[in-house]
């Protein structure tokens, strides 16, 4: 030690060890040690330590007053070499080299210590792993350290650098691990460190950095924010992140930014989203990450988003405040794609409010809506004012007076929808649906519709209930129809159930029988299946019954654009409701129906028939019966195949009218001169299925359980009537159904036997009952009766006058007298007798011809009748007895008796061969003219009479007449006599002639 120079110390080796009892040194201990060092350092003139050891550190120190000293420090991972000088009160340390081999940290610079004021000044250059080149400027005193940092080049590998800084736990995630950037630039970085509050050093830090290509993960469950550049500002313990050209989930974040508040009082993460976005699945995922539920999804369009999310980093509680605005966007809500216009949505924590929004669903619906929803308690309400709701072209909501009010209430106890009274226009009809409350299952997206009243103005009313699946757009409902009446169609029951189903297409079906009337006529539908398509209505597999007459399976398609229906009637049958007899049957009938305002037109090209229906009447015109007859057993049975018919039903009447013109095969009616084949018919069918018919204004019939027929002033064609009956018998031979009772009454009529012969009848009554046919005929005082049972018949009559006989027998006139007759047997084998008495034959042409022939033969002068031309021939009586068997008539007795002449005969007539073989005998009194008769071989003398025999044979229409003894004399006029004599037989025979020919 030299007093004038100070203390000189030289140490060759110095070892320093940590005491086992020593505690961790605090910053205050370090500060005190430095203070003591600065006070004693001026006492030394020189200091030399050749080897200082502390743990694994070896150091060499040299100092001499007024001469620069040095420190040379080595350790396995570190090395320091520095010069220092002492110029009181300053100590200057120049770090020539500091290397941290482990951290690859390189440091140079100067430290100046003011021993008097106890301040420390630093200027350091720092290089870390080729990642960063920094300059550090600082000023320290006993209490605090002020510093500023500058970057000399872009900083890379930021996370590694920050990890070396050992940031506080609360700062490490947000300022380190959440950051992934390519590089950083320090714009400004300075701060203050209070030595007594080192844990709060970050709160006095101000940093302004620019990061390149930052990916900032503010929530590990969400997509990071990806930026081109990002400004980071840290001040007052708060980190501000301002992304530039930032994207997240592919969305441009525009003016969005993040604030991380790390002060002990408020450790919050604040996210400010200010950008044009979509409330798509990604945005909804962001909201759901913070337990914010929004019940809709945006598919396209732009939503201006101004959203502030504040997250308590200790409790993870979230506050959210924001506004969403869009001019036009497409949202999915409850499975429906809804176009939104002029929407304003406000978010306030769990409250979602929609003060205004216009919503449109396709071209189907439009509405104004407001809403409020609290996501925390899952309660809310959406109010709609529906201006348009149009499912199809002709199905729409009527909002001409005011929009429809609808509200959807969300409640944990159960969601429901309230719909006010609504009015609809459906295919031109006005439908009313009563207000109702409908339960809504949010999980299944199903509406449970309770029974609700619905009605169509002046047409129908009832109840509808069911389930509507919104997600699948499926409806399954039941319509209970209580009343229906439209254009003459009226429901005949007050409780009809229909199944309504919508699954891409709308269908209506019913398992129950549906009873209704059309203009008073009863109809029934069974197994209804109706499908409503976009362009048509289809009906299939549906049974249709019209009264008790018609049964068919109907298939139909109604085209909206043409307003036409194409109908097919399968297995069509038309039957007699009284007997069940099938009148018409067809396997397939195509129809075309068209609709014009209040009219329905139906036409069948195949049947050549058409129908028109209005609310006042319906009318069916059948232009030809020929087509119908081909498939109608009834028409074939009665040979009705030529004509036309028309049916008409007035809506205010219970009867079905009909009229027509029929050209009939059987001329059942006749005049004296001409048979009638054309018949004008008219009539009606009553509600009780009774048929009333008028034919040519002459015949009136009532067909019910029994058939009643009345005639007046007309003729019945017997041959045609017999042919008609025989046809019916042949058609009905296999029919086991009981025949109806037939009652016929005729007045002032006649029965025509052939072209010139008629049977007059003042009255004619006919009854057919239980397969027994009876008839009674009256003319003046004459009466006749007839009975036919099981092919056995009996015909009798008596007291018919000369007028009756004159019309019955050909080319004859009678004066006075009467006719009796009796015939019985079977239709093929019968016998009978005709008897005429007390009559005078006047101007009998046949007898005139006979007498003219007799006058030409002198030998037959005895048989002449002088005065016949003036007075006629009085006949006391005449008769004929015969037997008929299969068209062969055996005449056993033929007699015409008068005072002047008597004619007897017998023989055969074969109608099958149209021949006659008859022997006749003419007798007259002998006394009056005996002197005038010459003796000839063929005149026989026998007491008081003379006679001659004639042989009549050959064709029935022109037979030959010969005398039995003189074969060469041809007496043709006797053929005329023969035909006259056989007329009574012909009266019976002709009645069955047609039967044999058929």
């Amino acid at each position: 030690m030299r007093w004038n120079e100070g203390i000189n110390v030289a140490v060759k080796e110095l070892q320093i060890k940590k005491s086992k009892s020593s505690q961790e040194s605090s910053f205050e201990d370090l500060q005190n040690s430095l203070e003591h060092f600065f006070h004693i350092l001026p006492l030394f003139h020189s200091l030399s330590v050749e080897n200082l050891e502390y743990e694994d550190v070896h150091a060499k120190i040299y100092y001499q007053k007024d001469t620069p000293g040095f420190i040379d420090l080595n350790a396995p991972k570190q090395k320091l070499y520095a010069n220092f000088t002492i110029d009181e009160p300053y100590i200057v340390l120049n770090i020539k080299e500091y290397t941290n081999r482990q951290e690859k940290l390189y440091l140079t610079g100067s430290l100046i210590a003011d021993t008097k004021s106890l301040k420390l000044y630093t200027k350091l250059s720092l290089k870390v792993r080729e990642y960063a080149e920094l300059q550090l400027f600082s000023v320290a005193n006993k209490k605090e350290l002020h510093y500023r940092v500058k970057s000399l080049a872009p900083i890379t590998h930021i996370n590694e650098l920050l990890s070396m800084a050992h940031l506080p736990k609360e700062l490490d995630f947000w300022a380190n691990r959440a950051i992934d950037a390519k590089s950083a630039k320090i714009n400004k970085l300075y701060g203050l460190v209070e030595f007594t509050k080192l844990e709060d050093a970050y709160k006095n830090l101000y940093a302004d950095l620019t990061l390149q290509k930052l990916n900032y993960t503010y929530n590990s469950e969400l997509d990071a924010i990806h930026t081109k550049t990002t400004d980071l500002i840290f001040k007052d313990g708060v980190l501000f992140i301002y992304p530039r050209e930032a994207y997240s989930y592919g969305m441009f974040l525009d003016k969005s930014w993040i604030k991380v508040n790390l002060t002990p009082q408020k450790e919050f993460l604040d996210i400010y989203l200010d950008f044009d976005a979509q409330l798509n699945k990604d945005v909804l995922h962001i909201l759901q990450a913070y337990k914010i539920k929004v019940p809709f999804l945006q598919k396209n369009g732009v939503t201006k988003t101004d959203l502030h999310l504040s997250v308590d980093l200790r409790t993870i509680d979230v506050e959210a405040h924001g506004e969403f605005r869009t001019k036009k966007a497409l949202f999915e809500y409850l499975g429906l794609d809804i176009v939104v216009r002029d929407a304003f949505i406000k978010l306030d924590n769990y409250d979602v409010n929609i003060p205004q929004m216009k919503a449109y669903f396709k071209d189907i619906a439009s509405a104004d809506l407001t809403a409020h929803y609290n996501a925390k308690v899952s309660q809310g309400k959406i109010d709609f004012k529906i201006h348009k709701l149009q499912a199809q072209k002709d199905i729409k909501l009527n909002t001409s007076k005011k929009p429809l009010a609808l509200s959807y209430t969300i409640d944990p106890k159960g969601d429901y929808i309230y719909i006010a009274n609504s009015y609809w226009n459906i295919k031109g009809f006005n439908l009313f649906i009563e207000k109702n409350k409908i339960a809504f299952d949010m999980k299944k997206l199903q509406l449970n519709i309770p029974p609700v009243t619905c009605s169509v103005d002046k047409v129908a009313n009832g109840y509808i209930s069911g389930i509507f699946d919104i997600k699948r757009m499926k409806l399954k409902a039941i319509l209970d129809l209580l009343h229906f009446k439209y254009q003459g169609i009226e429901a005949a029951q007050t409780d009809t159930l229909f199944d309504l189903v919508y699954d891409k297409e709308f269908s209506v079906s019913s398992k129950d029988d549906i009873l209704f009337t059309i203009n008073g006529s009863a109809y029934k539908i069974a197994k209804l299946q109706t499908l409503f398509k976009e362009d048509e209505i289809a009906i299939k597999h549906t049974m249709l019954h019209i009264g008790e007459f018609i049964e068919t399976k109907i298939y139909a398609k109604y085209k909206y654009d043409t307003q036409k229906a194409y109908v097919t009637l399968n297995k069509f049958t038309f039957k007699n409701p009284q007997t069940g007899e099938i009148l018409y049957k067809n396997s397939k009938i195509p129809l075309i129906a068209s609709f014009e305002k209040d009219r329905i037109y139906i036409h069948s090209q195949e049947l050549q028939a058409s129908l028109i229906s209005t609310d006042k009447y319906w009318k069916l015109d059948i232009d030809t019966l020929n087509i119908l007859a081909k498939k109608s057993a009834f028409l074939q049975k009665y040979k009705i195949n030529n004509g036309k018919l028309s049916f008409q039903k007035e809506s205010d009447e219970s009867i079905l009218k009909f009229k027509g013109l029929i050209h009939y095969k059987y001329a059942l009616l006749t005049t004296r001169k001409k048979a009638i084949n054309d018949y004008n018919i008219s009539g009606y069918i009553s509600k009780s299925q009774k048929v009333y018919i008028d034919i040519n204004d002459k015949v009136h019939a009532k067909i019910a359980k029994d058939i009643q027929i009345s005639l007046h002033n007309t003729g019945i064609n017997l041959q045609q009537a017999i042919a008609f009956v025989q046809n019916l018998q042949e058609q009905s031979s296999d029919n086991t159904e009981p025949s109806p009772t037939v009652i016929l009454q005729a007045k002032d009529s006649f029965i025509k036997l052939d072209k010139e012969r008629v049977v007059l009848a003042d009255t004619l009554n006919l009854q057919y009952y239980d397969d027994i046919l009876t008839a009674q005929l009256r003319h003046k005082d004459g009466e006749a009766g007839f009975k036919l049972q099981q092919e056995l018949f009996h015909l009798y009559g008596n007291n018919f006058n000369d007028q009756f006989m004159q019309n019955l027998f050909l080319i004859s006139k009678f004066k006075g007298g009467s006719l009796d007759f009796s015939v019985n047997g079977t239709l093929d084998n019968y016998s009978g007798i005709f008897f005429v008495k007390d009559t005078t034959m006047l101007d009998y042409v046949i007898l005139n011809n006979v007498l003219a022939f007799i006058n030409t033969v002198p030998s037959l002068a005895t048989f002449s009748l002088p005065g016949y031309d003036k007075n006629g021939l009085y006949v006391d009586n005449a008769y004929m007895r015969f037997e008929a068997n299969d068209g062969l008539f055996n005449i056993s007795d033929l007699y015409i008796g008068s005072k002047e002449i008597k004619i007897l005969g017998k023989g055969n007539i074969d109608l099958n061969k149209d021949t006659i073989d008859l022997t006749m005998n003419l007798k007259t009194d002998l006394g009056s003219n005996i002197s005038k008769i010459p003796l000839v071989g063929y005149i026989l003398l026998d007491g008081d009479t003379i006679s001659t025999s004639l042989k009549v044979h050959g064709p029935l229409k022109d037979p030959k007449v010969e005398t039995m003894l003189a074969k060469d004399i041809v007496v043709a006029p006797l053929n005329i006599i023969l035909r006259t004599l056989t007329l009574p037989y012909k009266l019976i025979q002709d009645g069955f002639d047609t039967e044999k020919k058929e």
Side-chain angles (χ1 to χ4, degrees):
M1 181 176 66
R2 297 177 181 177
W3 291 107
N4 59 339
E5 293 180 357
I7 301 172
N8 293 293
V9 178
V11 179
K12 187 174 183 179
E13 186 172 336
L14 175 64
Q15 291 184 351
I16 302 174
K17 294 183 179 180
K18 184 184 292 186
S19 173
K20 292 182 180 180
S21 60
S22 65
Q23 298 178 354
E24 189 75 25
S25 297
S26 64
F27 185 80
E28 187 176 354
D29 294 334
L30 177 62
Q31 188 179 31
N32 291 332
S33 297
L34 289 173
E35 185 177 346
H36 292 314
F37 174 75
F38 289 143
H39 278 98
I40 68 172
L41 186 59
L43 299 177
F44 288 87
H45 178 264
S46 67
L47 175 64
S48 174
V49 180
E50 289 188 17
N51 184 22
L52 186 149
E53 293 183 10
Y54 178 75
E55 294 183 349
D56 61 350
V57 177
H58 296 268
K60 184 176 182 180
I61 302 174
Y62 174 79
Y63 168 70
Q64 184 175 350
K65 192 173 183 181
D66 299 329
T67 302
F70 67 89
I71 298 174
D72 188 359
L73 186 148
N74 281 284
K77 298 180 181 180
Q78 299 182 74
K79 180 181 180 181
L80 172 66
Y81 181 81
N83 292 331
F84 64 89
T85 60
I86 299 175
D87 187 6
E88 293 187 13
Y90 301 104
I91 299 175
V92 179
L93 178 65
N94 293 313
I95 301 174
K96 299 296 184 179
E97 178 186 1
Y98 172 76
T99 301
N100 187 321
R101 297 183 183 94
Q102 181 177 0
E103 302 296 343
K104 296 182 180 181
L105 185 149
Y106 306 94
L107 179 66
T108 61
S110 302
L111 287 83
I112 301 174
D114 186 343
T115 58
K116 184 176 182 179
S117 62
L118 297 178
K119 290 185 178 181
L120 178 64
Y121 302 90
T122 63
K123 178 182 179 182
L124 301 174
S125 295
L126 180 64
K127 184 176 182 180
V128 184
R129 297 187 180 185
E130 306 294 333
Y131 300 161
E133 293 185 35
L134 306 174
Q135 282 189 325
L136 172 64
F137 302 91
S138 67
V139 177
N141 56 29
K142 293 176 62 175
K143 296 181 179 180
E144 57 189 18
L145 169 68
H146 293 267
Y147 60 90
R148 184 174 75 251
V149 178
K150 293 178 62 177
S151 62
L152 302 177
I155 302 170
T156 61
H157 298 80
I158 296 170
N159 299 104
E160 294 184 34
L161 293 174
L162 292 175
S163 297
M164 294 168 57
H166 301 291
L167 297 173
K169 183 179 180 180
E170 60 271 22
L171 180 63
D172 183 62
F173 177 80
W174 304 108
N176 179 14
R177 288 183 288 120
I179 293 175
D180 175 20
K182 181 179 180 181
S183 64
K185 176 185 176 184
I186 298 175
N187 300 317
K188 289 182 181 179
L189 193 156
Y190 58 86
L192 168 66
V193 178
E194 296 181 88
F195 299 137
T196 58
K197 299 178 181 178
L198 292 177
E199 68 277 8
D200 292 337
Y202 71 93
K203 296 179 182 179
N204 299 316
L205 169 66
Y206 176 86
D208 181 355
L209 288 80
T210 299
L211 278 67
Q212 299 292 326
K213 296 185 178 181
L214 170 67
N215 299 308
Y216 189 77
T217 305
Y218 61 94
N219 187 316
S220 58
E221 296 181 359
L222 303 175
D223 185 27
I225 297 175
H226 311 282
T227 72
K228 184 175 183 179
T229 62
T230 303
D231 293 333
L232 266 65
I233 296 177
F234 187 88
K235 64 179 180 179
D236 301 327
V238 179
L239 175 63
F240 298 89
I241 303 173
Y242 298 101
R244 310 301 181 199
E245 297 187 46
Y247 292 85
S248 183
Y249 290 105
M251 294 180 294
F252 179 57
L253 299 181
D254 200 9
K255 300 177 183 178
S256 302
W257 57 285
I258 297 175
K259 180 176 76 173
V260 183
N261 191 335
L262 300 173
T263 58
Q265 295 80 12
K266 293 183 178 180
E267 293 183 1
F268 279 92
L269 168 65
D270 290 278
I271 303 173
Y272 297 87
L273 299 175
D274 186 0
F275 65 106
D276 292 337
Q278 282 188 7
L279 294 178
N280 55 22
K281 292 181 180 179
D282 297 326
V283 175
L284 297 185
H285 180 58
I286 295 172
L287 297 177
Q288 289 172 0
Y290 298 105
K291 299 180 180 180
I292 300 171
K293 296 181 180 179
V294 178
F296 43 77
L297 171 69
Q298 184 177 358
K299 289 187 172 182
N300 64 35
V302 175
T303 298
K304 185 173 180 55
T305 303
D306 185 2
L307 176 63
H308 174 204
L309 298 175
S310 183
V311 184
D312 190 324
L313 298 177
R314 293 185 178 183
T315 63
I316 313 301
D317 290 338
V318 179
E319 285 194 8
H321 305 277
E323 295 180 354
F324 305 88
R325 300 175 185 270
T326 182
K327 289 293 183 181
K328 182 180 178 181
L330 177 65
F331 283 83
E332 179 184 315
Y333 179 67
L334 299 179
L336 304 177
D337 289 339
I338 299 175
V339 175
V340 170
R341 294 180 182 271
D342 302 326
F344 175 39
I345 304 171
K346 190 173 183 180
L347 175 66
D348 189 6
N349 288 328
Y350 296 101
D351 286 332
V352 179
N353 291 283
I354 304 178
Q356 68 180 43
M357 180 184 288
K358 295 182 182 295
Y360 305 84
F361 178 59
K362 298 181 179 179
D363 291 330
I364 296 175
S366 65
D368 292 328
L369 69 88
T370 59
H372 172 260
Y373 176 70
N374 188 302
K376 187 173 185 178
V377 296
S378 297
Q379 286 185 332
K381 185 179 181 183
I382 305 174
D383 293 310
F384 296 87
K385 289 184 177 179
I386 301 175
H387 297 281
K388 177 184 178 181
L389 186 54
Q390 185 170 352
Q392 294 181 5
K393 181 179 179 181
D394 297 326
I395 302 177
K396 64 180 180 179
L397 177 70
N398 186 348
T399 57
S400 58
K401 294 184 178 179
K402 64 177 182 179
L404 172 64
L406 182 149
S407 65
Y408 167 41
T409 300
I410 305 169
D411 193 286
K413 296 180 181 179
D415 298 352
Y416 63 88
I417 293 176
Y418 173 80
I419 304 177
N421 291 341
S422 60
Y423 301 86
W424 302 76
N425 296 122
I426 299 179
K427 304 292 184 181
F429 299 100
N430 296 319
L431 171 65
F432 166 75
I433 300 179
E434 190 179 32
K435 60 183 179 181
N436 59 95
K437 180 179 177 182
I438 303 173
F440 180 58
D441 189 330
M442 185 64 179
K443 293 182 179 179
K444 296 181 179 179
L445 286 179
Q446 286 185 349
L447 291 171
N448 297 300
I449 306 170
V452 57
T453 300
C454 57
S455 63
V456 178
D457 187 25
K458 298 179 182 181
V459 175
N461 61 61
Y463 293 92
I464 187 171
S465 61
I467 296 175
F468 180 52
D469 190 321
I470 297 176
K471 186 175 182 179
R472 296 179 177 87
M473 286 302 291
K474 292 182 179 181
L475 170 69
K476 189 174 183 181
I478 295 176
L479 171 64
D480 188 355
L481 185 65
L482 303 180
H483 165 76
F484 181 88
K485 186 176 182 180
Y486 177 69
Q487 285 193 350
I489 304 174
E490 183 174 1
Q493 58 198 56
T494 58
D495 187 13
T496 308
L497 297 180
F498 295 89
D499 293 323
L500 310 181
V501 175
Y502 180 81
D503 185 0
K504 296 181 181 178
E505 294 178 333
F506 182 63
S507 66
V508 178
S509 62
S510 179
K511 298 178 182 177
D512 299 334
D513 290 345
I514 303 169
L515 305 179
F516 61 100
T517 61
I518 299 181
N519 294 325
S521 298
Y523 286 69
K524 181 177 76 173
I525 286 179
K527 301 177 181 179
L528 173 67
Q529 293 187 43
T530 306
L531 184 62
F532 292 80
K533 298 183 179 181
E534 185 176 352
D535 58 347
E536 68 181 24
I537 301 174
I539 300 175
K540 58 182 181 179
H541 306 303
T542 298
M543 294 301 300
L544 174 64
H545 303 261
I546 303 177
E548 298 179 12
F549 296 96
I550 293 175
E551 177 179 310
T552 184
K553 181 177 285 189
I554 184 171
Y555 295 80
K557 286 186 178 181
Y558 172 72
K559 299 290 186 180
Y560 295 129
D561 54 352
T562 61
Q563 291 189 329
K564 288 186 177 181
Y566 301 89
V567 183
T568 301
L569 304 179
N570 284 3
K571 298 180 181 179
F572 181 91
T573 58
F574 178 65
K575 62 183 180 180
N576 185 331
Q578 302 295 335
T579 64
E581 178 187 4
I582 295 178
L583 306 178
Y584 178 76
K585 188 174 184 179
N586 198 332
S587 61
K588 185 177 181 180
I589 302 176
L591 305 173
I592 297 178
S594 59
F595 302 82
E596 299 179 7
K597 294 182 179 179
D598 60 345
R599 291 174 176 252
I600 302 174
Y601 298 91
I602 300 176
H603 179 71
S604 172
Q605 183 65 32
E606 178 179 308
L607 300 181
Q608 294 189 28
S610 59
L611 181 142
I612 179 173
S613 178
T614 70
D615 58 349
K616 295 181 179 180
Y617 72 94
W618 66 261
K619 182 181 180 183
L620 171 63
D621 292 322
I622 302 173
D623 296 334
T624 176
L625 295 174
N626 182 47
I627 298 174
L628 287 175
K630 292 178 181 178
K631 296 186 179 181
S632 171
F634 174 80
L635 296 179
Q636 291 174 8
K637 175 180 178 179
Y638 290 95
K639 305 296 183 183
I640 303 173
N641 55 20
N642 189 349
K644 59 183 180 179
L645 280 175
S646 176
F647 296 88
Q648 184 165 331
K649 173 71 171 60
E650 305 290 338
S651 57
D652 57 352
E653 294 180 348
S654 61
I655 62 173
L656 173 62
K657 299 177 182 178
F658 61 86
K659 63 180 180 178
L661 175 62
I662 296 177
H663 183 80
Y664 198 34
K665 174 181 179 180
Y666 300 106
L668 299 177
L669 301 183
T670 182
T671 65
R672 288 294 187 107
K673 296 182 178 180
K674 183 180 180 181
I676 299 174
N677 290 96
D678 294 324
Y679 297 97
N680 286 303
I681 65 170
S682 62
Y684 65 90
I685 302 173
S686 70
K687 189 175 183 180
S688 59
Q689 310 300 331
K690 296 178 181 178
V691 182
Y692 298 84
I693 306 176
D694 290 337
I695 303 174
N696 289 0
D697 294 327
K698 300 291 185 179
V699 180
H700 311 281
K702 175 184 176 183
I703 303 174
K705 185 176 181 181
D706 300 335
I707 300 176
Q708 298 179 11
I709 303 172
S710 63
L711 297 84
H712 69 280
N713 195 25
T714 190
I716 300 173
N717 193 328
L718 181 61
Q719 294 183 7
Q720 291 291 296
I722 292 174
F724 173 75
V725 172
Q726 287 178 333
N727 172 69
L728 292 184
Q729 290 174 342
E730 292 174 1
Q731 296 289 335
S732 305
S733 59
D734 297 329
N735 189 2
T736 58
E737 294 290 334
S739 300
T741 298
V742 180
I743 299 174
L744 182 146
Q745 295 178 332
K747 292 183 178 180
D748 300 327
S749 299
F750 59 90
I751 301 173
K752 190 169 184 179
L753 303 180
D754 54 29
K755 292 183 179 181
E756 298 186 21
R757 295 183 302 146
V758 298
V759 177
L760 299 179
D762 295 336
T763 62
L764 172 63
N765 296 306
L766 181 146
Q767 305 84 30
Y768 181 76
Y769 174 73
D770 197 18
D771 291 331
I772 300 175
L773 176 64
T774 58
Q776 305 84 37
L777 182 146
R778 294 182 61 89
H779 178 69
K780 303 302 180 180
D781 296 329
E783 296 180 342
F786 176 79
K787 180 178 181 181
L788 173 64
Q789 181 178 9
Q790 295 181 350
E791 294 191 357
L792 294 176
F793 74 90
H794 183 203
L795 173 66
Y796 64 91
N798 65 285
N799 206 31
F800 286 99
N801 65 10
D802 51 357
Q803 184 184 7
F804 185 90
M805 292 186 290
Q806 190 165 291
N807 283 275
L808 179 63
F809 301 129
L810 288 174
I811 320 173
S812 61
K813 291 184 179 180
F814 297 90
K815 181 179 180 181
S818 63
L819 170 65
D820 300 334
F821 52 85
S822 176
V823 182
N824 61 77
T826 68
L827 296 177
D828 293 330
N829 191 352
Y830 51 88
S831 61
I833 185 172
F834 282 82
F835 184 77
V836 179
K837 62 180 180 179
D838 301 328
T839 184
T840 301
M841 293 183 180
L842 299 174
D843 194 18
Y844 195 7
V845 175
I846 296 175
L847 189 57
N848 290 346
N849 292 339
V850 171
L851 295 178
F853 172 73
I854 291 174
N855 289 333
T856 62
V857 181
S859 59
L860 296 180
T862 302
F863 297 97
S864 65
L865 298 175
Y868 171 78
D869 293 340
K870 295 181 179 180
N871 302 318
L873 176 65
Y874 181 82
V875 177
D876 296 323
N877 55 72
Y879 67 89
M880 181 184 71
R881 186 186 301 275
F882 66 91
E883 292 181 358
N885 186 2
D886 197 20
L888 180 62
F889 285 79
N890 181 14
I891 301 175
S892 59
D893 295 291
L894 176 64
Y895 174 76
I896 298 175
S898 69
K899 183 178 180 181
E900 290 82 1
I901 190 171
K902 293 178 175 56
I903 302 173
L904 296 91
K906 65 178 182 178
N908 298 299
I909 297 176
D910 190 343
L911 296 180
N912 297 320
K913 298 179 180 179
D914 201 24
T915 60
I916 186 171
D917 186 3
L918 192 65
T919 300
M920 300 182 64
N921 186 263
L922 281 67
K923 293 184 179 182
T924 186
D925 292 337
L926 182 61
S928 60
N929 297 314
I930 186 63
S931 61
K932 299 179 181 179
I933 302 175
L935 297 177
V936 293
Y938 57 89
I939 297 178
L940 303 179
L941 301 176
D942 183 14
D944 295 331
T945 64
I946 61 174
S947 66
T948 184
S949 295
L950 305 176
K951 183 70 174 180
V952 181
H953 63 93
L956 185 61
K957 295 181 179 180
D958 189 19
K960 294 182 179 181
V961 181
E962 299 175 348
T963 62
M964 298 293 289
L965 299 179
K967 303 289 185 180
D968 57 332
I969 300 177
V970 179
V971 198
L974 291 180
N975 185 34
I976 300 174
I977 300 175
L978 173 63
R979 288 203 300 270
T980 303
L981 296 177
T982 58
L983 277 177
Y985 159 76
K986 288 284 289 182
L987 178 64
I988 301 302
Q989 184 275 333
D990 285 346
F992 301 95
D993 179 63
T994 304
E995 176 185 4
K996 293 302 179 180
K997 290 183 178 180
E998 289 290 317

